[in-house]
Amino acid sequence: MGEPGRVGGAGPHRRPGRGSALSAPDRARRAAEADELCVEAYRASGGPESGAALVAVGGFGRSELAPYSDLDVVLVGEEGVDIRGIAEKIWYPIWDSGARLDHSVRTMPEMVGAAGADLKVALGLLDVRHLAGDANLTMRLRTTMLTNWRRTAKERLPALKELVRSRHESIGEVAHLSVPDIKEAEGGLRDATVLKALVATWMVDVPHVELERVRLQMLDVRDVLHDVAGRPTDRINPEQWSDLGHELGLSDARAAQVHVRELGRRITHLSHLTWRRVDAALARPAPNQRARRPELTPLAPGVALANGEVVLDRTAKPADDPVLLLRAATAAAEHDVVLAPATAARLAREGVPLPTPWPAEARQLLVRLLASGRGLLGVWETLEETGALSRALPEWDRIRLLPHASAIHRFTVDRHVVETCIEASGLIRQVARPDVLMVAALLHDIGKGSLTEHSVAGEPLAREIATRMGFAPEAVDLVARLVRWHLVLSETATTRDPDDPATVDLIVKRVETAEALDLLLALTEADSKAASPKAWSSWRSGLIRDLARRARAALDSGVALPSIVTDDVPIPQEVRRGSAAITVEHDDDGTRVTVIAPDRVGLLADLAAMFALQRIPVRAARAWSQDQFGVSVWEVGVPELDAAVLRERYDAVVGGRVEAAKRLRRPPPADALEPTVAVRPEASDQATVLEVRTGDRPGVVYLACGALADLDIAVRSAHVDTLGPQAVDVFYLQEAHAGVLSDQRAAEAAHAVRRALTEGAAGS
């Protein structure tokens, strides 16, 4: 054997772009070499030819060894046959060869008992393969495992489904993880193995050719990953994509990502489909109560339900009915059942294209499909995987498997769009045009992947698609407007002062009508919830809803309402006497800290230091002046917080007992992006607005506010927002005793803040 831990001793001598044609023989060669090693170890140990056997299980049992795979073996003996004495004699030669060994010693009854008690053991023993010793014992073991698996399948499959669900929930999905685990994540090799086990029950079937194709390709990826990493691993780190692509014969790192995520997406789809079939099989009556031919339940013209799947009935004419695909998909989604892949593939292959513009039935069916709720996801997957979706919406390929640039997003762009539609389906009763809301949800990110800003690029695309779908001109205009400005409510609410008339005026100019505003608010909520829970926390949703409320009032009457977020708060007596009041509240989103103190230049910097010195992450903050007092509300990422501890730290900062400047003014990491600091003159006529975007780290707000305090510039209000690794902080500035900053002073402020964030030092 060669390198320690490397199966078969084969070094990483592979041609670039070797592909499946070479990977499968490599795996077979590694398995053959490992077999030979185990057979020789058993022979040298003096193991008996009857009553005992050395068997391979798991991946080794399937002869699918990656370069650094473990050898999973079991020494099995008949009851009464002493095999423990030879076990060590078998293991040591294998260890000495440098192979990684996972071994156990069990009697035949112990094997049966272990499989009955542990689902993971049962799954591993479905792939038992003989290595040495008594071949009849191995055959009996394999037959017993398969027979027991099939006999107990109905009782065990619900537990297996929960095991799979729990794994998916804790790890994530190959198609969407920034560091995908190609074995354990949803859509990985573990799921492919589970699918084979489901087929082994004889209760359900799965497209064998397709499953084997994607499974073998994912095994190829794992082989190359082991070579690239030089160790056993199933996780693809960002820096490995380029080498992975090169070894797989792909053009670049992006192509490698698409390839791997496409494989994961395909396995996920097959898994969803098979588990739905399992559920249907478990729910069916006993065989002697079933008719021989599946009963067809009509759902719509040309469409019926059979065995829990939507299929075409005998009256269907794909070549004459352009709406048949949408009719079948909508029926499946609304009944939350499987759209039979064979049906979707047939319609993609034989169906007549939709005319331009679409007929009214097609348009109405699309809206119903998009508004069907959670049933949409599985149906949309089938439409994608069978190529049927490209017939109705060819622009979808622009965003298919496209990763989001923002770390706050849980999914790739295409899946995020589907999740947005699902979220929007629960909001259709809040708007006058549910059809416009659902189509805008479908198209809001269609411009992603363009060189220009995606909402700008998406507007003409959305206009073109909505027109092709046959929407009236006013509806087309609404869809295009929503796509163009789908971020404006969330961005403005979290980065602008709601009390400044320019803030409400900006929203009013973008939406123009109350109808559009209601639609935009619903789309913003759906888009945010689909992105991540943090994007629609009670804090952010409160800011967004308040801004929409005030904009609605301005549209209805021309008069802006006061903010409910920054309404005057009662000033405690202790604050009126010159002290500070700190209160802490806990809710489902985290912890909210409210601080009221006599207003002064530098107050916000001291409060930011109070949090930074405690290493308390600030998710968001609002601060404003109320008469001669400063009020600030902070959303922080610490579940339990003591107001007394915060007060003690604040007093230490103000009293100079803690040198905040020395401890917090430090340079950012060497690989951090340069911060951007810009003056936004259009944002207010009453103050100078400074917008800061930088990587989030402890002390960012302190550094910015400290730099402004050193220049004797007052922060009239502040709006801090953190999503993922990015901090967006906006400060409304005034001279301590004069008002709006001059152009020169504004430039000085921007320079000082930029220098503080770049060098970790305040001052101009």
Side-chain angles (χ1 to χ4, degrees):
M1 302 290 281
E3 298 175 50
R6 193 175 182 86
V7 174
H13 305 301
R14 294 236 171 85
R15 296 196 302 253
R18 57 193 175 85
S20 296
L22 291 179
S23 293
D26 280 348
R27 287 191 288 274
R29 173 185 52 77
R30 284 191 291 267
E33 291 173 352
D35 286 1
E36 184 180 348
L37 175 66
C38 292
V39 169
E40 178 57 28
Y42 188 86
R43 186 196 63 77
S45 73
E49 291 300 315
S50 64
L54 184 65
V55 299
V57 298
F60 188 20
R62 295 187 296 274
S63 297
E64 294 172 349
L65 294 177
Y68 290 93
S69 288
D70 290 355
L71 304 184
D72 292 334
V73 298
V74 183
L75 181 59
V76 187
E78 295 279 17
E79 195 167 19
V81 177
D82 183 13
I83 55 175
R84 298 192 180 274
I86 65 169
E88 295 294 312
K89 297 178 182 179
I90 298 174
W91 310 147
Y92 273 108
I94 300 175
W95 284 327
D96 290 343
S97 73
R100 298 165 56 91
L101 183 66
D102 188 347
H103 61 86
S104 61
V105 181
R106 284 178 175 153
T107 65
M108 180 71 172
E110 286 174 341
M111 293 286 277
V112 175
D118 190 325
L119 268 172
K120 293 180 180 179
V121 173
L123 292 175
L125 292 178
L126 292 178
D127 295 308
V128 166
R129 184 168 60 85
H130 181 70
L131 292 173
D134 189 343
N136 288 328
L137 176 60
T138 302
M139 179 67 71
R140 186 153 51 88
L141 174 63
R142 180 175 176 80
T143 302
T144 300
M145 292 299 109
L146 281 170
T147 301
N148 288 350
W149 178 246
R150 288 165 184 153
R151 180 174 53 81
T152 61
K154 282 200 169 186
E155 293 74 36
R156 305 198 74 176
L157 288 186
L160 178 58
K161 182 178 181 181
E162 176 57 27
L163 193 68
V164 170
R165 186 204 62 77
S166 178
R167 172 167 52 82
H168 292 170
E169 191 174 86
S170 64
I171 297 176
E173 190 174 340
V174 168
H176 307 295
L177 287 166
S178 58
V179 181
D181 185 321
I182 60 172
K183 182 178 181 180
E184 300 294 345
E186 185 175 5
L189 290 166
R190 183 76 71 191
D191 278 355
T193 302
V194 169
L195 287 177
K196 290 170 72 71
L198 293 177
V199 171
T201 65
W202 291 351
M203 290 176 56
V204 293
D205 199 4
V206 65
H208 293 278
V209 173
E210 183 64 7
L211 173 60
E212 200 60 9
R213 179 185 70 81
V214 294
R215 193 180 70 84
L216 291 175
Q217 286 185 297
M218 192 67 92
L219 286 171
D220 295 346
V221 172
R222 186 181 65 173
D223 289 352
V224 173
L225 178 60
H226 277 210
D227 276 346
V228 167
R231 58 185 176 83
T233 181
D234 299 307
R235 292 164 60 86
I236 305 175
N237 293 314
E239 67 273 9
Q240 293 171 326
W241 285 114
S242 181
D243 290 340
L244 202 65
H246 175 71
E247 288 294 314
L248 289 169
L250 301 170
S251 58
D252 53 23
R254 170 81 179 103
Q257 284 208 47
V258 170
H259 175 67
V260 173
R261 297 183 191 283
E262 181 74 53
L263 294 176
R265 179 75 63 88
R266 186 63 181 151
I267 292 173
T268 295
H269 171 66
L270 293 173
S271 182
H272 289 172
L273 173 67
T274 305
W275 278 112
R276 293 294 290 266
R277 288 174 172 172
V278 167
D279 291 341
L282 292 175
R284 287 183 200 132
N288 60 356
Q289 296 174 298
R290 288 165 46 197
R292 291 185 177 181
R293 178 174 293 177
E295 182 180 348
L296 290 178
T297 303
L299 297 178
V303 177
L305 184 68
N307 284 340
E309 298 187 15
V310 168
V311 298
L312 301 183
D313 66 20
R314 297 178 187 84
T315 68
K317 298 179 179 179
D320 298 330
D321 189 350
V323 186
L324 191 55
L325 174 63
L326 281 171
R327 201 179 296 132
T330 302
E334 289 184 337
H335 288 81
D336 196 15
V337 295
V338 171
L339 172 62
T343 296
R346 179 188 172 191
L347 290 171
R349 185 176 61 253
E350 302 176 9
V352 61
L354 284 161
T356 301
W358 290 10
E361 183 190 2
R363 191 166 57 254
Q364 293 161 2
L365 284 169
L366 174 69
V367 173
R368 284 173 52 191
L369 171 64
L370 298 176
S372 59
R374 191 49 63 178
L376 171 66
L377 182 57
V379 171
W380 201 266
E381 284 180 354
T382 299
L383 293 175
E384 279 193 288
E385 296 298 332
T386 57
L389 183 58
S390 297
R391 294 180 63 88
L393 187 63
E395 293 86 355
W396 188 258
D397 289 340
R398 296 171 54 96
I399 61 172
R400 181 172 167 79
L401 289 170
L402 183 67
H404 265 106
S406 169
I408 195 63
H409 282 85
R410 296 175 289 174
F411 304 114
T412 50
V413 175
D414 52 347
R415 174 65 179 277
H416 166 75
V417 166
V418 177
E419 293 288 337
T420 300
C421 290
I422 293 171
E423 295 290 349
S425 69
L427 305 173
I428 57 176
R429 290 180 177 82
Q430 300 178 17
V431 297
R433 291 296 304 264
D435 55 341
V436 169
L437 174 62
M438 297 314 305
V439 173
L442 175 68
L443 302 178
H444 78 283
D445 275 349
I446 200 69
K448 286 282 178 76
S450 305
L451 295 178
T452 55
E453 203 280 318
H454 78 277
S455 60
V456 176
E459 180 183 14
L461 282 170
R463 186 177 296 278
E464 177 184 340
I465 295 168
T467 300
R468 185 173 76 233
M469 290 175 175
F471 281 95
E474 64 273 12
V476 171
D477 288 342
L478 265 177
V479 170
R481 185 182 296 275
L482 291 172
V483 171
R484 173 64 185 91
W485 299 113
H486 70 272
L487 297 175
V488 71
L489 262 183
S490 59
E491 288 182 346
T492 305
T494 56
T495 63
R496 294 293 183 262
D497 187 345
D499 288 324
D500 194 306
T503 301
V504 171
D505 188 52
L506 183 149
I507 300 299
V508 169
K509 287 180 178 178
R510 298 290 187 254
V511 299
E512 294 187 356
T513 67
E515 179 184 49
L517 178 63
D518 291 343
L519 287 164
L520 181 60
L521 177 59
L523 178 59
T524 301
E525 179 176 346
D527 187 18
S528 299
K529 287 180 174 178
S532 79
K534 291 181 181 178
W536 195 252
S537 64
S538 61
W539 170 273
R540 289 175 62 85
S541 62
L543 296 177
I544 291 167
R545 291 184 187 282
D546 177 48
L547 178 57
R549 178 187 71 97
R550 300 174 69 219
R552 178 63 182 263
L555 285 166
D556 289 344
S557 65
V559 178
L561 296 173
S563 169
I564 60 173
V565 176
T566 58
D567 264 345
D568 286 355
V569 298
I571 306 299
Q573 288 300 316
E574 60 187 296
V575 177
R576 296 185 182 278
R577 292 193 294 267
S579 185
I582 301 177
T583 58
V584 176
E585 302 171 82
H586 303 286
D587 59 28
D588 292 339
D589 293 325
T591 302
R592 181 169 299 173
V593 179
T594 302
V595 183
I596 308 173
D599 204 8
R600 57 181 170 81
V601 172
L603 172 62
L604 205 58
D606 290 343
L607 293 174
M610 172 185 74
F611 290 109
L613 289 169
Q614 295 289 102
R615 307 291 294 181
I616 296 172
V618 175
R619 293 176 178 168
R622 302 289 302 266
W624 66 95
S625 296
Q626 182 176 311
D627 298 325
Q628 70 269 34
F629 304 103
V631 182
S632 58
V633 182
W634 308 73
E635 289 281 325
V636 299
V638 177
E640 297 295 334
L641 210 53
D642 191 334
V645 173
L646 289 177
R647 177 55 184 267
E648 180 181 341
R649 182 56 55 136
Y650 172 76
D651 289 342
V653 170
V654 174
R657 298 193 301 277
V658 173
E659 295 184 76
K662 184 176 181 180
R663 294 178 57 179
L664 296 175
R665 288 177 179 172
R666 60 188 65 174
D671 58 350
L673 295 175
E674 286 288 322
T676 61
V677 182
V679 178
R680 301 295 186 194
E682 78 284 356
S684 177
D685 295 327
Q686 302 175 352
T688 299
V689 178
L690 195 69
E691 182 180 271
V692 179
R693 293 176 181 263
T694 187
D696 185 41
R697 69 182 197 273
V700 165
V701 179
Y702 167 76
L703 290 171
C705 292
L708 295 170
D710 287 348
L711 293 175
D712 199 31
I713 292 175
V715 178
R716 194 195 80 181
S717 70
H719 312 268
V720 175
D721 196 38
T722 303
L723 280 178
Q726 177 77 6
V728 181
D729 303 337
V730 176
F731 304 98
Y732 282 67
L733 310 178
Q734 291 180 336
E735 296 288 4
H737 305 291
V740 177
L741 307 186
S742 67
D743 290 346
Q744 180 178 347
R745 286 279 281 168
E748 289 177 1
H751 174 74
V753 171
R754 188 180 300 108
R755 176 170 172 252
L757 294 173
T758 304
E759 302 176 7
S764 58

